[in-house]
């Protein structure tokens, strides 16, 4: 199944001032598109072009680093665009998520500080996550294009901490970007949908 660049689910300026149109234009049209183009070439070369994206991510992990990085980033960005929305974020979580955050992550405030700390603590490029592992939520961080799928977990929320995600808007202030992501951008309904899929 060939990779295809999805449309952004909102206008380029929808997340401003927390994430600018300029950031989204570069990040979606250039960076994500490059992962799609390169990923298709490498999947073809590896004879994996007919597999699903998730299968390619898992199968290339540890055996084909170039394909893994591009396929992983394609998977991560497809969800990343949907993990954000205009007027998102904040501590009003849909009911089922709220109970899981309370029981597994110590409540919203502890989630917020642990998630921001995971993103800040990821040295260099990578991602911070909330993932379901063995039926429970966990905060994780991964380098480069890696994601929780290759650690036996299902991501339900992730934030891109590569500099291309925040440098135009926040320069080197990664913590401020992560706080704005949690407070003003998260699409909790999409997180809930992934939570339901991961726990059914
Ligand atoms: Mn990115």
């Amino acid at each position: 199944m060939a990779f295809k660049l999805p449309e952004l689910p909102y206008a380029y300026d929808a997340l401003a001032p927390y994430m600018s149109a300029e950031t989204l234009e570069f990040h979606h049209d250039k960076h994500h598109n490059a992962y799609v183009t390169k990923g298709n070439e490498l999947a073809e070369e590896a004879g994996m072009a007919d597999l699903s994206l998730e299968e390619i991510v898992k199968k290339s992990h540890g055996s084909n680093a170039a394909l893994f990085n591009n396929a992983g980033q394609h998977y991560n960005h497809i969800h990343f665009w949907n993990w954000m929305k205009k007027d998102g974020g904040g501590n009003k979580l849909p009911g089922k998520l709220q109970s899981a955050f309370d029981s597994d992550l110590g409540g919203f405030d502890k989630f917020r500080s642990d998630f921001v700390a995971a993103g800040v603590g990821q040295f260099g490029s990578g991602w911070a996550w909330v993932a379901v592992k063995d039926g429970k939520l966990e905060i994780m961080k991964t380098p480069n294009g890696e994601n929780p799928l290759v650690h036996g977990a299902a991501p339900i929320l992730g934030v891109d901490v590569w500099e291309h995600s925040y440098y135009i808007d926040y320069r080197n202030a990664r913590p401020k970007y992560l706080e704005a992501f949690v407070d003003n951008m998260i699409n909790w309904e999409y997180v809930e949908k992934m939570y339901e899929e991961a726990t059914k």
Side-chain angles (χ1 to χ4, degrees), residues 27 77 160 164:
H27 198 174
H77 286 82
D160 189 341
H164 64 224

Side-chain angles (χ1 to χ4, degrees), residues 47-129:
M48 291 193 211
D50 291 334
L51 301 182
S52 74
L53 175 56
E54 294 191 19
E55 285 169 330
I56 294 173
V57 170
K58 289 179 189 171
K59 201 168 168 194
S60 62
H61 183 237
S63 68
N64 184 335
L67 175 57
F68 174 72
N69 285 326
N70 284 280
Q73 285 292 69
H74 180 43
Y75 175 91
N76 297 346
H77 286 82
I78 287 172
H79 294 294
F80 183 57
W81 310 130
N82 284 288
W83 278 319
M84 300 184 288
K85 68 169 192 178
K86 185 179 177 62
D87 299 327
N91 62 2
K92 298 274 184 294
L93 277 57
K96 255 188 235 166
L97 265 190
Q98 182 70 60
S99 358
F101 272 55
D102 286 346
S103 58
D104 299 345
L105 301 178
F108 177 84
D109 291 346
K110 182 156 171 34
F111 147 74
R112 184 182 183 277
S113 72
D114 290 350
F115 185 72
V116 168
V120 171
Q122 172 54 46
F123 184 78
S125 296
W127 294 74
W129 307 95

Side-chain angles (χ1 to χ4, degrees), residues 132-155:
V132 177
K133 186 163 190 185
D134 303 324
K136 295 192 90 177
L137 296 182
E138 260 183 45
I139 289 176
M140 304 172 71
K141 61 183 180 197
T142 57
N144 302 316
E146 200 175 293
N147 64 45
L149 291 178
V150 298
H151 298 286

